[in-house]
Amino acid sequence: MLQALIFGTTGYTGIELIRILSAHPEVSVVAGSSRTWANKKASEVFSYISAEKDFPLVELERLLDKPEADVAFLALPHGDSAIAARRLLESGVKVIDLSADFRLKDLGTYESWYGLHKDPDLLNSGVYGLAEIHRDEIRTAELVANPGCYPTTVILGIAPVVNIDGVDTSFPIVDSKSGISGAGRGAKLNTSFSEAGEGFRPYGVIGHRHIPEMEQELSLLAGRKITVRFTPHLIPVSRGMVSTIYLRTVPDLDAETLRDAFEKFYENEQFVRVLPKGIFPDTARIRGSNQVHISVEIDQRTHYAVIMTAIDNLVKGASGAAVQNMNIMFDFEESAALMGLPLFP
Amino acid sequence: MLQALIFGTTGYTGIELIRILSAHPEVSVVAGSSRTWANKKASEVFSYISAEKDFPLVELERLLDKPEADVAFLALPHGDSAIAARRLLESGVKVIDLSADFRLKDLGTYESWYGLHKDPDLLNSGVYGLAEIHRDEIRTAELVANPGCYPTTVILGIAPVVNIDGVDTSFPIVDSKSGISGAGRGAKLNTSFSEAGEGFRPYGVIGHRHIPEMEQELSLLAGRKITVRFTPHLIPVSRGMVSTIYLRTVPDLDAETLRDAFEKFYENEQFVRVLPKGIFPDTARIRGSNQVHISVEIDQRTHYAVIMTAIDNLVKGASGAAVQNMNIMFDFEESAALMGLPLFP
Amino acid sequence: MLQALIFGTTGYTGIELIRILSAHPEVSVVAGSSRTWANKKASEVFSYISAEKDFPLVELERLLDKPEADVAFLALPHGDSAIAARRLLESGVKVIDLSADFRLKDLGTYESWYGLHKDPDLLNSGVYGLAEIHRDEIRTAELVANPGCYPTTVILGIAPVVNIDGVDTSFPIVDSKSGISGAGRGAKLNTSFSEAGEGFRPYGVIGHRHIPEMEQELSLLAGRKITVRFTPHLIPVSRGMVSTIYLRTVPDLDAETLRDAFEKFYENEQFVRVLPKGIFPDTARIRGSNQVHISVEIDQRTHYAVIMTAIDNLVKGASGAAVQNMNIMFDFEESAALMGLPLFP
Amino acid sequence: MLQALIFGTTGYTGIELIRILSAHPEVSVVAGSSRTWANKKASEVFSYISAEKDFPLVELERLLDKPEADVAFLALPHGDSAIAARRLLESGVKVIDLSADFRLKDLGTYESWYGLHKDPDLLNSGVYGLAEIHRDEIRTAELVANPGCYPTTVILGIAPVVNIDGVDTSFPIVDSKSGISGAGRGAKLNTSFSEAGEGFRPYGVIGHRHIPEMEQELSLLAGRKITVRFTPHLIPVSRGMVSTIYLRTVPDLDAETLRDAFEKFYENEQFVRVLPKGIFPDTARIRGSNQVHISVEIDQRTHYAVIMTAIDNLVKGASGAAVQNMNIMFDFEESAALMGLPLFP
């Protein structure tokens, strides 16, 4: 059995890693870090964990001290991840980092959005862990930077047509909507049930930190600069994310051509579904699964392609993608532990 | 007391009219139509209605037969409204129609989106009832076409800058999100709690019927053709609507200039609030009120103005606006029965 | 205009007082206390407050210093209320306290459930402010102890039959369910959207603090000791409360007799509705109103009366009842500002 | 691979069977019945179903015609199930029936709650499929009557102490709360999002059809008549069920004794967790799993045991229990396909 560590076990991405890995036939979680719950067993915090899948929760620092494991998942705040990553790598533990620390390749870009990097020398060791785009690099990586949730929906929603004729992908407008678990597990008034429950609102309208990641990856794919206008909103659901992407088209482009480009691009991908004409993605039919649902329409009246992508932000947008990356890095079936159907309803 | 009739009493906009009018010091609902509940009293259907505010529910046809009232609210399907409107007007009853039947001025446009019009001769008698734009015409109207909910958010979100320098309003991209009550009160699988509850999805991505209404009014304001790229989505809340509007700008425009234009345009409007910089509208802080909250931002990186407007789709998006129109038509305080604060949380 | 102060303005009961009082024709909120938002205007915290209804937020201590007002609403934690109440009363300001400080008449009982009382001498000056039971005393009170939300549902659900033949009210079993706003506005993990949102759970199963209050009032009405078995649960709604009350009956009692007793008891009450046979209370049809809906059934198979009472915990369960008390104390229409229909849907 | 048929594929229990069985290593769904979607593939209705797990949807009648399969799950209305069951059994297909048709052993009881039975001769062939109680009989059964969701929570919540000293189990009061998926997938106004979404209400207060099933099984366990006072309520969540059970106790019984009885009774059960003192079950930590969480408290003040049981009504309350039964009948690991952790948050 592969031995796995989870850093930041009791946040939402940590909790989700427990859930997904518990179904993995080849992996065992041997320990997790937790500030709040150190020195407890995981089952004392989450009563649904069975004795045979139980593991100890310890202080972060203790878990970094001579770690014996094959792989570590870092569900830590950025900054903390960079520090932990080096120590783990030096102990021979492969690292899948769910923070932003190794997603951006350019130090200046990182620092203008996130502040000083804690380990700039490691910056370029990380492989951007979006399997559908970088599978081969992930296979041999020691350090994988797991993508952000919003960038996953945007990159997968534009990649197939980034250089197709008739579509202007240089200035996408992206209107995204995320479930509230995306705000993390800290108690905050504006994500409390009574305040967020029957509401809907934009936030971070100017300068959300996921922008540089989208632009880096799309520009790389296009071979030219792509600039994204991005607006996130909060949906009153715990999980689920939809991005509605607007791309200017030439007048005579038809939706079928575009949909074909998507289908061809993803024809060998197990987790991506291009939906038939007139069927739109619904987070309720994604929840709990690692699937990506994509709809492609063209508005002939206004000459826009409208691409809609949906994921579960905690699965394909975080912990599911992380396990997918682990499967690739350790040569397991890429879909191991990830074939679970969504919980509908 | 002004005598009011409600046609289509037990749908959501009818129910909301009961609620709002029950607080009106000068108006009394004397009867309502209902197919399902004819020959009952309103309080038998809605146990919260008190004896003194009670009124009979009767068949539509009976209510049209020599109606004795000052004003009628039509919360009927389009088509039915047109037929009822003529009979009411001929009996000297002023009409506020919440359907689409009299919103579009051009018969061809109406018929290409809605099918044959049931009373084309009346088409141009209707005044488009968005008080912030057409207050003077409403004052003397016999027939008011109450605006659609989406168009309300879009027209109010663009009107103040429709011809301002530096903003291209000819091709707005509008990404809208609506609470589920907007789909009406008929039982449908896709608006059932279990299916819609923890979900979020686009719908009607190409060719939603509210588009011609937005374009008619914006083009009229601009004095030139405006074409809207419009995508509606369904939020799992009963009430609430947000439109996020993208307008291309010249590079050097600042947000303050834009926000000033909004504040000036709405300075005498009781129901419209232009929010301070960095504060975004939240449907949870609108729910149950007739208010419109608007945020205005400019993204200097991508040269887009992002305008966000929020309303309660059943109040300012329907029944509240209808009562506002009635107040204007009958020379009451425009805010009578409409000053209630939102129900937060 | 009556001048009112709100202590604890930005908690949920404070916010709800603002909403309700804004519709009151005879009352003006002149200032409020807030720890977090002192030195702001209320409209800066709640953008929906209009200029004409605006008022300053100040530190608690400052608001207690020579207060000039007719009435003060205390939406403060217990303990703090006792201290504030004395200072206000000494300045000639009538006090309506929404905390538990003056609800219990017996000091020993208070202290065994809440700890040391901060002003025991005042304990017996408070009138228990459930208007349907203590209206006459409230009329002349200087200090009113506004009832807890759960006790409101339980007392009103048993009072009409507390001494009726054939019903054993000495040991009621009460199974209650409350919306999440009842937990207050502090940010807590277990009331966050993601944790509470799609859940339902009991809490405080043994020894909830609202028990002595129920027992005091029911025992007083009965003239003998009544002991309540009480279990609260949390519903994933922001507002709304239902209590399901089980009372043992003799075999031959029929539901009509019981329902008649309720109807007679409440026949002059504007806010209480006894629902017809087979109709059950639904918090969705109460939300935002001061109404109490009561259903009464008898199970002939098991010889139990099942009484179900529903309120909006923030209105009749808190701020609505407080305004109702104010109306009585100052000889306004008892229903002033309280006739608003529920927000349905 | 075991060949399975699902009758009533596109209702919620059918959908849930697809989800659970898709993870089963030894079972393949070969066909399903659907009135609405006959002649489509399952993946055309549920876009998340992959090609390799796809299967045809056909008319009920066609699926009953010479069925070739090892097992059939009947997610049909009662009445229809009885008819289908006989034909399947005659073709040598084992049947797991999720309707009420074979749960009650007494024909008179069945007919007084459900009307005429469609195949009385089969009535006593069915084994009541609550594995924790009837595992051995299930092992050899040809026809299993899968338990109702409410009865599952009630029987499992009382069975361990049904004959313990000091607890009076003859007249349990059961106050239950169910997620809305329990009402089935038909579109109904009272389970629409807008009507049920922010509400909570009792229903079926007198005479819910699940009562005889609870009483039959508890009486059987006790060896004497047990009569249940049962009130169901609707929670605004799609999945989840809690029953709060009140049992009278003698004064000196302590909670530890009771909790021990539960722990001992369930010590070899993989799906039942007796929670530690002070921890209460929460449907949010059950959702999607086959687990049963039970809390046991004693109120020394009123001499009541309060037992709280929670399940996911679609899993342990329906389709999960059905698969558990199938595993037992076909000698698979009892937990095969059922070890998935809950989806939290």
Side-chain angles (χ1 to χ4, degrees), chain C residues 174-185:
Chain C
V174 177
D175 194 284
S176 294
K177 301 86 179 174
S178 172
I180 291 173
S181 63
R185 203 172 179 223

Side-chain angles (χ1 to χ4, degrees), chain A residues 12 15-16 18-19 22-23 45-52 181 185 193 197-198 238-239 273 275-276 279 284-289 291 293 312 314-315 339-345, chain D residues 12 15-16 18-20 22-23 45-52 181 185 193 197-198 238-239 273 275-276 279 285-289 291 293 312 314-315 339-345:
Chain A
Y12 289 138
I15 292 172
E16 188 67 354
I18 297 174
R19 181 179 78 88
S22 80
V45 185
F46 303 108
S47 49
Y48 52 73
I49 297 180
S50 68
E52 82 194 48
S181 62
R185 204 174 176 217
F193 182 86
E198 275 272 298
S238 60
R239 293 159 177 255
R273 307 266 151 109
L275 301 179
I279 305 292
R285 297 187 177 209
I286 294 280
R287 188 169 44 165
S289 88
Q291 296 188 13
H293 287 196
D312 181 324
L314 293 183
V315 191
M339 291 304 282
L341 294 190
L343 198 70
F344 171 77
Chain D
Y12 290 139
I15 293 173
E16 188 67 355
I18 297 174
R19 183 181 75 89
I20 296 171
S22 80
V45 186
F46 303 109
S47 51
Y48 52 74
I49 296 179
S50 68
E52 81 194 50
S181 62
R185 203 173 179 219
F193 183 86
E198 276 270 299
S238 60
R239 294 159 175 254
R273 309 266 151 111
L275 301 180
I279 305 294
R285 297 187 177 209
I286 294 280
R287 187 168 44 165
S289 88
Q291 297 188 12
H293 287 195
D312 181 322
L314 292 183
V315 191
M339 291 302 283
L341 293 189
L343 198 71
F344 171 78

